[in-house]
Amino acid sequence: GDVVILDVGSTTTAIAEALMARRDLRDVTVVTNALNVALRLEQAADRITVIVSGGTVRPLQHSLVNPYATLLLEQLTAHIAFIGCNGIDATGGVTNRNVAEAEIKRAMVRASRRTVVVADGTKLGEVEVARVCPVTDIDLLVTDSTADPDVLAELAVAGLAVDVVGAP
């Protein structure tokens, strides 16, 4: 019965795939700005309701951005949001290369009770042009075993909980 926000990106698309595989899930609502995620989840329409944010299509990314994309997000409260990024740093926070997408990500963070950033290890310690939020606005970072241990330590000191998938 949860409402889940899924951002655009390869990692969030993998989350959509995992939701599809969970035959035990019922009455889940997914809100997304990713056209590929919405189309993929359509196959589970009997278990998962998909709401697309609306907005202007960003070519090649298949994401929806403003104008209009944040209007829906301002009107709901989700249980959890899974946000992708191009950079996450203890000081620089969560950042993205595209300003329009960063604006949507900020709205997703505001619209959720719990926010999880999903980012492979190459994005840790990086700071991109558009700031999404400080790490203190994030409840959990999920990353992989390629993450630099020193950067993980900095994020932990900043108060961010981290789950390293595939770690021994």
Side-chain angles (χ1 to χ4, degrees):
D2 281 1
V3 176
V4 178
I5 294 174
L6 279 182
D7 189 17
V8 67
S10 59
T11 309
T12 51
T13 300
I15 293 170
E17 294 287 338
L19 289 174
M20 289 274 303
R22 292 275 311 270
R23 303 295 304 169
D24 60 316
L25 294 179
R26 295 270 183 252
D27 302 321
V28 173
T29 300
V30 172
V31 178
T32 187
N33 68 323
L35 295 174
N36 66 313
V37 167
L39 290 172
R40 182 69 182 109
L41 289 173
E42 182 181 24
Q43 297 174 31
D46 61 326
R47 301 176 290 116
I48 300 172
T49 300
V50 179
I51 299 173
V52 180
S53 66
T56 303
V57 175
R58 187 165 171 251
L60 302 177
Q61 295 295 321
H62 308 291
S63 64
L64 298 169
V65 296
N66 278 339
Y68 305 117
T70 57
L71 292 177
L72 170 74
L73 294 166
E74 292 167 355
Q75 301 302 315
L76 61 82
T77 301
H79 294 89
I80 190 165
F82 292 95
I83 309 295
C85 67
N86 296 119
I88 182 165
D89 179 80
T91 305
V94 179
T95 57
N96 206 66
R97 287 185 195 117
N98 185 277
V99 174
E101 281 191 6
E103 185 176 8
I104 305 309
K105 293 172 192 296
R106 280 192 296 276
M108 290 175 167
V109 170
R110 287 191 303 269
S112 67
R113 295 179 186 151
R114 180 170 159 78
T115 301
V116 177
V117 168
V118 289
D120 67 62
T122 64
K123 297 173 182 171
L124 277 61
E126 298 297 319
V127 178
E128 295 295 343
V129 66
R131 187 163 188 193
V132 175
C133 64
V135 295
T136 53
D137 287 359
I138 303 303
D139 296 293
L140 177 66
L141 166 66
V142 177
T143 190
D144 62 14
S145 59
T146 66
D148 182 326
D150 293 335
V151 177
L152 290 174
E154 290 172 8
L155 290 166
V157 167
L160 182 59
V162 179
D163 185 2
V164 180
V165 178

